[in-house]
Amino acid sequence: MIDKILLAGFGGQGVMFIGKVMAYAGMLSDSQVCWIPSYGPEMRGGTANCSVIISDEEINSPVIDTADVGIVLNQPSYEKFITLIKPGGVLVVNSSIVEAAASRTDITIIRVPASEIANDLGKANLANMVCLGALLSSLNLINNISIKKAVETIVGSKKPELCQLNLAAVNKGIEYSVC
Amino acid sequence: MIDKILLAGFGGQGVMFIGKVMAYAGMLSDSQVCWIPSYGPEMRGGTANCSVIISDEEINSPVIDTADVGIVLNQPSYEKFITLIKPGGVLVVNSSIVEAAASRTDITIIRVPASEIANDLGKANLANMVCLGALLSSLNLINNISIKKAVETIVGSKKPELCQLNLAAVNKGIEYSVC
Amino acid sequence: MDKVLIKGNEAIAEAAIRSGCKLFFGYPITPSTEIMEYLSKNMPKAGGTILQGEDEVASINMCYGAAATGARVMTASSSPGFSLKQEGLSYIAAAELPVVVVNVNRSGPGLGGLGPAQSDYFQCTKGGGHGDYRLIVLAPSKGQEMYDFTMQAFDLADKYRNPVLILADGFLGQMMEPIELKERPAVNLPAKDWVTNGCRGRNKRKIASYALTNEIGEANCMYWQTKYKQIKEEEQRWESYQADDAEYLLVGYGTCGRIAKSVVINARKHGIKLGLIRPISLWPFPENAFKRHISTVKGIVAIELNAGQMVEDIRLAVNCKIPVELYNRQGGMLPTETEIFQYVSQVFNLKLPEEG
Amino acid sequence: MDKVLIKGNEAIAEAAIRSGCKLFFGYPITPSTEIMEYLSKNMPKAGGTILQGEDEVASINMCYGAAATGARVMTASSSPGFSLKQEGLSYIAAAELPVVVVNVNRSGPGLGGLGPAQSDYFQCTKGGGHGDYRLIVLAPSKGQEMYDFTMQAFDLADKYRNPVLILADGFLGQMMEPIELKERPAVNLPAKDWVTNGCRGRNKRKIASYALTNEIGEANCMYWQTKYKQIKEEEQRWESYQADDAEYLLVGYGTCGRIAKSVVINARKHGIKLGLIRPISLWPFPENAFKRHISTVKGIVAIELNAGQMVEDIRLAVNCKIPVELYNRQGGMLPTETEIFQYVSQVFNLKLPEEG
Amino acid sequence: MAKVTVFHEYCKSCGLCIAICPNKVLEIGDKANQKGYYTVRTNDESKCTGCSLCGIMCPDLALEISK
Amino acid sequence: MAKVTVFHEYCKSCGLCIAICPNKVLEIGDKANQKGYYTVRTNDESKCTGCSLCGIMCPDLALEISK
Amino acid sequence: MQKVFTRPKGLTELPFHYCPGCTHGIIHRLIGEVLDELNIIEDTIGVAPVGCAGFSLDFFSCDFVGAAHGRAQAVATGIKRALPDKLVFTYQGDGDISAIGTSHAIHVAARSEKITSIMVNNAVFGMTGGQMAPTTLSGQVTTTSPYGRDSAAFGNPIDLPKIIATMDGAAYVAAVSADSPKNIIAAKKAIKKAFQVQQLGLGFAFVSVLSTCPTNWGLSPVESIKWLQQNMLPIYQMGELKVNKEVEAI
Amino acid sequence: MQKVFTRPKGLTELPFHYCPGCTHGIIHRLIGEVLDELNIIEDTIGVAPVGCAGFSLDFFSCDFVGAAHGRAQAVATGIKRALPDKLVFTYQGDGDISAIGTSHAIHVAARSEKITSIMVNNAVFGMTGGQMAPTTLSGQVTTTSPYGRDSAAFGNPIDLPKIIATMDGAAYVAAVSADSPKNIIAAKKAIKKAFQVQQLGLGFAFVSVLSTCPTNWGLSPVESIKWLQQNMLPIYQMGELKVNKEVEAI
Ligand SMILES: Cc1ncc(C[n+]2csc(CCOP(=O)(O)OP(=O)(O)O)c2C)c(N)n1
Ligand SMILES: Cc1ncc(C[n+]2csc(CCOP(=O)(O)OP(=O)(O)O)c2C)c(N)n1
Ligand code: SF4
Ligand code: SF4
Ligand code: SF4
Ligand code: SF4
C-alpha cells in the first residue's frame, strides 16, 4: 500500500509543515516515508510545495509523476497541481481563497473553507491543518491517531497548548472528509 | 649527421648564451636545431646548464641521454657531466677554474685556460666563447663561419664592437681545438 | 533503535559529529547549505569548531591545515563551489591528508540550476584538479546511506591518508527520510604518527607536496599509485539487485540507483529478467561487480543525470563485451520509472508489458 | 620565409598577437611564464592590452568579461594555476564564450615539480570543472605547432563559441626551436551578433549561464551536447606515421609523440612494423584515427607522462578489440627512445634487434 | 490636486508606502493580484499632495504619481 | 679582544659583511668552497671589536663572533 | 496633470522577482534613473552577481553580463579593458563582494579600474537563505550563527567601504542607505556621482548601500526598515568616505 | 672568550638555498632567534608559502606545513582552530600574501585569527623570475613590466600593512626592514612582539619586512641594500602601524 501526496500553497501557509506532520505520522506507524521539498530560486517570495510518500514497502523511486491525493492552499497552486492528481484521486482545496472551477470530474474535489474555520479557531495560519484533517480519510497508511502522535512529537514537546489547537483544526477538517 | 651538445656552468657564466649561439649557427646553415634549458627551483643561485641538438634531419626525440660533445665551465658541472659524454666524444673544460682529473680516457678532454684568455682579451665573461671556439672543430654541422653569422645576428645588430670581441674570443679558442 | 526524520544533508552533518569530526570549514551554497547550518547549531555543543570561510578556496585550505594536525575535518559544497576546491584537493591528496569532502551535485555547467544532477562524475572520479591523484568517492542513494557513508568516509580517509568524497545530489540532500542514528563502528586505524602538532619530545616534522627534482617527483607518483592500486583492490563497493540471473542490467548510482530499482521490480513483475548494479564507490569504480556477468548479460543501460559519463567506466569494466546504452536526463530533471522502463524495452526491443 | 629561434612559450605568445588577440589576462607560474613575459613586451606595441591579475581566478574571469565584448582574449597558466581556473572555465563554456587558454602542464599533484608532465589529461579533456562541458583541446609537439595551433585555437573558439585549450608541457614551453612566423590564415567565421558591447541601436543583450527551471536547464544541456557532437564529427585531429602497414602502434601526444616517432623510425630500421598515431585534438579524441587499424593491428602501446589516462580513451576508441599497454614516466621525467623500444619489444615479445 | 496610480500586478503588498505616506492616502485592499498579493489602493485620493514619498519607498515601482 | 669565525661552506660571498664592518676586518678570499663561492676571510683579526654588525647583516649565518 | 514620479527608462517593464519589501528594488530604481538621466543606457554594460540580484540582468535596459559568485569586478575589469570608452558597473551583494569577492574588491581599487561598483549590504547571504556574511552584525542571528554572531570566533563585521577608502586607486567611495526618502535621495546622488567619476575616467568608484532582507531577517518589510535604522546605521560609517581632488570638482 | 653572535636553535643546520645576499636569510635568522628566546620551538607550527621561501620548511627547527601559493593564512587558520594552544605563524612573500592571498589576509584580520604572519616584501615575484607584484614600485622594471610599472594601467603599489592596520581584528601591525643593523634589530623586536601577541591571544599580528632580491633586481647584494633604502623605504609606511591597547601593555 502506498500514499503519494502533493501539497502546495504560498510560502508561509505551512505547506512544508503539514508535509512533515504526515511524514512523521507515517514514520511513527512504522511505514516507510519520504518528504520531498521543491527548492530553487523560484523560492524568492513564490509558491512553496512538497510531496510526501508513505508506503508499507521500501520506497525506491521517490519521483512523483502523478499523486494519489493532494492539498492546495492557493489559486496558483490549484491551477498548477490539479492536473497531477490520478484519476479517482482526491484534492482538498482551501475554498476560502481558491475558486475551484470544477475543471475535473474524474477526481473528488473536497472544498473546505479552511481559512474561515481557522479564524474561528482564533489562528488564521491553521488553515493547513484543517485541510490535512479533510484529507485524512482518503489516506491508507495514516489516520488521526498517528497524526496526533506526530503533532505531539513535533509541536507538543515545546508548546502543548499550540498542539491542542493544531489537533482541533485537524478534527474540524475531518468533518469535511469523504467517508 | 647530428651534434648533441651539453653545456654547463654557473649562472652568469653565459652557458645559455653559447647554447643559443650554436643553435643559431645551426639554424642559419639550414640544419634542424633545438635548444633545451634545464629549469627548476634548483635555479636559485645554482648551476645552469642546457643542451643543443643540431641535425640534418628532423629532430624527433629531443631527449639527450648521452651527448657527443660538451663544455663545462666550473667544477661541479665537470663532475656532474663528464659521465654523460659518449665514448669517443669531446669535452672542453675551462681549466682556469676546473681541476680536471683525467677521470676518463675514452673521451678527448680539451683543457682551455679560458678565464685567463678572456681576461687577456679584457672581458672576463668571454670564457664561454673561448670554450665554444675550442669545441668547434669537433662539431659536424656548424663552423666558425656559421658561428660568425650567428654572433652577428644575436649580438651584432646591437653592439658591433662587442660582436668583434666575442669572435676574437672564439678564434682564440679555436687554437686549442683538436685537429 | 528509533529514527529521526531529517534531510539527507542533515544526516551527513549528524554522522560527521558522531564520527568525531571536530572541525568543519565551509561556505554556503544551495543545495548543500543545510550541512553547514546543522553543524552551526550542533557542532559547538559537541565540542567541535565550525568556521565559515571567506570562500571555498579558503575553506578547503583550512581543512588542509586542520588535517595536518591529525584532527578529523570536513567541508561541503556544491558544483561551482566544488570546482573552486580543485587546487586544494590536489594539494590535500599530494600531502596525503585525511579530509572528508561533500559535493551535493547541482546542475551545471556555469551557474546552472539547483536541481539534482550527476554532471560532476568525471570531475569527482578522474580528478578535477591537476596531477594524478584520486579521491575515494562514495555515492549514497538514500538518507540512511548519507549517514552511514559519511561515517565510513572518515575511517577510509584515516586508513589511507587520502581525501574521501561523498557525492550526492540536490534531491538526496533536500529529501527527508527516517534515519537511524547508528553509533560509530569500532575500527582500528593506523596511528597518526605523521601529524604536525608541535615537536615536543620528538624530531620536527613537515608536511608538504613538492618535489625538488624530477627523480623525487617520479618516486612520489609511483608511491601514490601503489596506494591507489591497493584501494582499487580493497574498496570497490556496489549493490547488486536481481543481477544473478539477469539478461539485462541497469546501472545507476545515487538517486538513479533507487529509481532503477523500482524499474527492476516492475520489470520482474512482467517477467523480464532485468537486474541492477548500483555503484557505491565511484572511485574505485566497482569493476569486480561486472566480471561475473560479462558472459551472461545481453545488454546494459546506464542511467545518469548527465550527458553520459559513468557509461565510459562501465564499457571499460565489461571490456566492451556487452552493449552499454545510456538513458539520461540533464539540467536538474529526473527520469521516471516509466520512462526508463520504456527505454529499456525499446532499445533491446523486448515486447512491451501489458498495462497494470 | 625565414625563421626565428624562440621558446615554445614565446611562439604561443607571438601567434596570439598575430591572430588578433587583443587582450591577455594572466598570473605568472613556471613553466608558462614566458608567454606573459613575451606579451608584456610585445602586446602593447601591437595595440593590445595585457594585465596581470591578482590571481588565476581573477584572470580567467577577466577573460570571461573581455570575451563577452567580442574581443579575442587569452590566458595561460600551469597545472596548479589551471586548477584554480576550473570554475571560470565552466562558466565560460556555459556562456559559450570564445577564450583561448594555455596549460603548460607541470608535474603534480600539489605543488609537485616543474618538469614536463601530461598528468592533467583528464582534467583538460573530461572537464576539470563542474557540469557537462567540453574544452576543445589541442596538443602541440614542437615549437612550430605551439605557434600554428594557437592560431587555429582562436579560429576554433570563434567558430564554435567555445573555450579552446592548448595543452603543452614544460619541456615544449622552455625549448627553443626555429619557428616560421606564418601569417594568420584567412577563414570566414560567424558574425559575433551576440556580444554585450552596449546596446546602441539594438535591443539589450545579456550573457549568462543560469537556468531558472530544470526544464530550461535540460534544454540548455541538450543544446550544448549537439554542439559538442558536431565538434566531435568535424574536429578530430591526429598525425599518423607509418601506421598503414603497422602491426604495432605507439600512441602518444605532445613530447611523447615526437619521442615515439624516433622509436618508430628506429624500429623500422630493424624491420619491425611499428607505427605511430599522435593525437592532436585530445578532445575531441581522434577515434576515427583508430577505426581503420582495428582489424590489422596486433597491439598498441600508449606513451604517457602520467599514471595512464589517455590509455582509457584509446581502449574505448578501439572498442577494446586490441590490447592497449601503457609505457609511462611521471613526476617530470621523460622516456628515452631506448626505453620505449625495449618496452615495446618485450611486452609484445618481438625479438630484440641486434645493436647498431 | 494630485493623483497616485497603483499598478496592481507590480504591488507585493509590502506596506512601505502606507507607512511613509504623511496623509494616510494608501491602504491594503481586498483584491489579490495574479501572484496572490492583496495590493494597495487609495482610500481618499483627495488627500494626496503628490509628494511622491510612497513612490520613493516602493521597491517594486508599483506607484506612479501625477500632479 | 674579539674574534670572528667564518663557516666557509655557508658563505656565499655576497659581501654584505665586508660593506658593514666599521674596521675593514673582512675581505673576499681566494679559496672557493664546495658550491664554488670565494668565501670571506679576515685580513687582520686584531682589528675586530666584536660588534657583530657583520653577523647581523649576514644572510647565511656564515659568521660567528666571540669576545 | 503630468507624471511627477514614474518608472525610469533605465529599467525594463519586467516586475522584480524580489521578496515583498526588499529594498533591492529601490536600489535598482535609483540606478535605472541614473542611467536614464546621464543618458548612458546604450553605452553601459552591467555585471550581475550571484545572489538575489543574480537575475537583475533582465531588469535593466542596458546590456548585462552575469558573473560567477564574487567575480563581478574581475568580469567588469575584462569588459572595461576591452571597451575603455564604455561604462561598466557591477551590482553586488555584500556576500558577493566582501566574502568570496574580497581580493577583486581590493585589487580593482588598487589598480584604480575605471569602473563603478554598487554593493548592496543586507548583512546576510540572502539568496541562499540567510547565512552569516562578513557584514553580519555582532550578535546577529543567522542560520550559520544560530546563537548570534560571536565576534570572538568570527570577528566583527567588515566595513568594506572604509577599507577601500584607504586606497590610492579609489577615486570615490560612499556609504549610503535605502531606508528613508532622505537617505534614498542621498543614495541616488552618490550613485550618480559614481557613474560620473567613471565617465570622466577619474578612477574606481564605489558605493555601498544598506538594504533590507525581510525574508531572512524574519521581519515584516516595515519592521525591517526600522531594524536597519536601529542596528546597521550606527555600525557602518556613512557618507562620502573618499572624494579625491578631481572628483570634488564634479 | 665566549660567543656573542651565533646560530640560534630556532634554525636547523641546513644552509639556506637562497641567492647570495638575499635578505630572506636575515629574516629567517630573526624568527629563529625569537622562537629560541621565547622558548616556543616545540609549541610552534610554521606555514611556508610558495615562493623562494617555499623550501623554508627545512630551515626552521619547529614543525612546518607547506601551503599552496597564497593559502598560508587559510592553512594556518585551520591549524590554529584545531590547536588553539599552539603557536602558528605564516612566512609569506609579498606576492603570496598581497596578490593571490589577498582575501585571506583581509579575512584573517577581520576574524582576528590568533596567528602571526610575516610578509617578506621584495617588490617582485622572486621565485618565478622577477615578475611584477602588487608591491612593485611605480616605474620599476620587471619581466612583466618591461617598460617600468605603469601606474595608470596597473595602479600604485599596495601597502598591505597600512590596509590591515585599519581593521579591528588586527591587534598588532608593524612594517620593518632588513637593510641595516639598526632596522634589523627593530625588525626583530617587532617579530618578537608579534609572537607575544599570539601567546597572549590578543588577536591577529602582522609584520611586513622589506627585503632584497639581488637576482631579479639585477643588482649586487650591496647595491640591492642601497636600492631598497633609496626606493622602497620612502614609499612604504614604516614603523608600528597598529598597536591596540592590550598590546601596548607588553
Ligand atoms: C562559488 C559559489 N559559492 C557559493 C555560491 C552560493 N551563493 C549564491 S549567492 C550567495 C551569497 C548571496 O548573498 P549576497 O551576496 O549578500 O547577496 P544577497 O542574496 O543577500 O542579495 C552564495 C553564498 C555560489 N553560487 N557559487
Ligand atoms: C596557484 C599558483 N599560481 C602561481 C604560482 C607560481 N608562483 C610561485 S611563487 C610565486 C610568487 C613568488 O613571489 P613572492 O610571493 O613575492 O615570494 P618571493 O619568491 O619573492 O620570495 C608565483 C606566482 C604557483 N606556484 N601556484
Ligand atoms: S664583529 Fe664588527 S668588527 Fe668584527 S668583523 Fe664583524 S663587523 Fe667587523
Ligand atoms: S655576509 Fe655572510 S654570506 Fe655574505 S659574504 Fe659575508 S659571510 Fe659570506
Ligand atoms: S531574500 Fe532577502 S535580499 Fe533576497 S529578495 Fe528576498 S528579501 Fe530581498
Ligand atoms: S630570487 Fe630573489 S628572493 Fe629568491 S632567493 Fe634569489 S634573491 Fe632571494
Side-chain angles (χ1 to χ4, degrees), chain B residues 43-44, chain H residues 17-19 22 24 52 122 126-127 212-216:
Chain B
M43 182 195 97
R44 295 273 139 293
Chain H
H17 71 305
Y18 301 102
C19 303
C22 173
H24 261 299
C52 286
N122 56 18
M127 174 71 166
T212 63
C213 179
T215 299
N216 290 306

Side-chain angles (χ1 to χ4, degrees), chain D residues 51-344:
Chain D
L51 181 63
Q52 184 172 316
E54 51 270 30
D55 60 18
E56 289 86 352
V57 176
S59 306
I60 191 69
N61 286 287
M62 290 171 182
C63 290
Y64 179 106
T69 70
R72 284 191 157 185
V73 57
M74 177 165 90
T75 186
S77 191
S78 291
S79 306
F82 185 67
S83 289
L84 287 173
K85 294 179 187 287
Q86 295 309 319
E87 188 205 20
L89 282 169
S90 176
Y91 271 77
I92 286 170
E96 297 194 272
L97 295 174
V99 174
V100 173
V101 181
V102 181
N103 177 13
V104 183
N105 200 152
R106 62 190 239 185
S107 76
L111 182 51
L114 307 179
Q118 301 181 323
S119 46
D120 301 348
Y121 177 90
F122 278 146
Q123 181 189 34
C124 296
T125 58
K126 314 234 168 204
H130 62 285
D132 281 291
Y133 69 91
R134 297 288 189 164
L135 307 175
I136 298 173
V137 183
L138 302 179
S141 70
K142 53 165 103 90
Q144 188 64 53
E145 289 180 341
M146 298 283 258
Y147 183 94
D148 298 345
F149 292 3
T150 300
M151 284 198 161
Q152 294 167 24
F154 280 100
D155 290 336
L156 284 169
D158 283 343
K159 179 176 177 192
Y160 293 104
R161 281 192 65 182
N162 206 69
V164 178
L165 177 72
I166 305 285
L167 179 56
D169 64 48
F171 196 82
L172 292 166
Q174 300 296 318
M175 183 166 48
M176 279 206 233
E177 291 183 297
I179 309 291
E180 185 183 325
L181 303 179
K182 303 175 187 162
E183 278 317 311
R184 174 180 168 189
V187 288
N188 47 18
L189 296 165
K192 292 190 172 181
D193 52 10
W194 46 267
V195 305
T196 50
N197 56 355
C199 58
R200 192 161 287 295
R202 58 163 172 81
N203 293 339
K204 77 162 273 180
R205 293 182 186 143
K206 67 173 176 180
I207 288 177
S209 69
Y210 63 82
L212 254 182
T213 67
N214 297 333
E215 289 74 11
I216 298 170
E218 185 161 55
N220 293 344
C221 290
M222 275 155 45
Y223 163 69
W224 290 319
Q225 290 306 320
T226 51
K227 178 170 89 170
Y228 297 145
K229 191 159 164 300
Q230 184 197 350
I231 297 174
K232 260 183 131 146
E233 280 156 12
E234 296 176 9
E235 306 298 343
Q236 290 184 32
R237 300 169 187 212
W238 70 90
E239 178 196 0
S240 289
Y241 180 72
Q242 305 267 14
D244 293 342
D245 67 338
E247 291 177 352
Y248 301 96
L249 279 179
L250 295 182
V251 182
Y253 68 88
T255 302
C256 289
R258 63 190 284 172
I259 299 174
K261 199 168 186 178
S262 295
V263 178
V264 170
I265 292 169
N266 187 12
R268 289 280 173 173
K269 287 196 192 123
H270 295 88
I272 295 172
K273 288 199 167 174
L274 191 61
L276 166 70
I277 288 177
R278 175 171 68 90
I280 286 173
S281 62
L282 300 185
W283 193 89
F285 188 75
E287 296 165 355
N288 300 341
F290 295 87
K291 294 235 160 62
R292 80 160 76 86
H293 303 296
I294 290 182
S295 50
T296 54
V297 167
K298 297 194 202 138
I300 292 176
V301 174
I303 316 290
E304 299 192 70
L305 303 180
N306 58 38
Q309 298 188 19
M310 179 177 65
V311 66
E312 289 188 3
D313 286 332
I314 301 171
R315 292 202 177 105
L316 290 169
V318 299
N319 204 7
C320 311
K321 289 204 165 51
I322 306 172
V324 183
E325 307 296 335
L326 170 71
Y327 185 75
N328 65 325
R329 295 301 299 266
Q330 300 182 69
M333 300 298 287
L334 287 172
T336 62
E337 300 172 46
T338 339
E339 270 170 59
I340 297 174
F341 194 19
Q342 279 165 1
Y343 178 81
V344 174

Side-chain angles (χ1 to χ4, degrees), chain B residues 131-144:
Chain B
C131 293
L132 163 53
L135 186 66
L136 264 187
S137 68
S138 318
L139 299 173
N140 302 312
L141 293 156
I142 58 175
N143 53 35
N144 54 354

Side-chain angles (χ1 to χ4, degrees), chain C residues 87, chain D residues 27-29 56 80-81 84 106 111, chain H residues 24 50-52 69 93-96 100 122 124-128:
Chain C
E87 188 207 19
Chain D
Y27 187 80
I29 180 167
E56 289 86 352
L84 287 173
R106 62 190 239 185
L111 182 51
Chain H
H24 261 299
V50 175
C52 286
H69 182 42
D94 48 302
D96 195 73
I100 192 169
N122 56 18
V124 289
F125 288 179
M127 174 71 166
T128 41

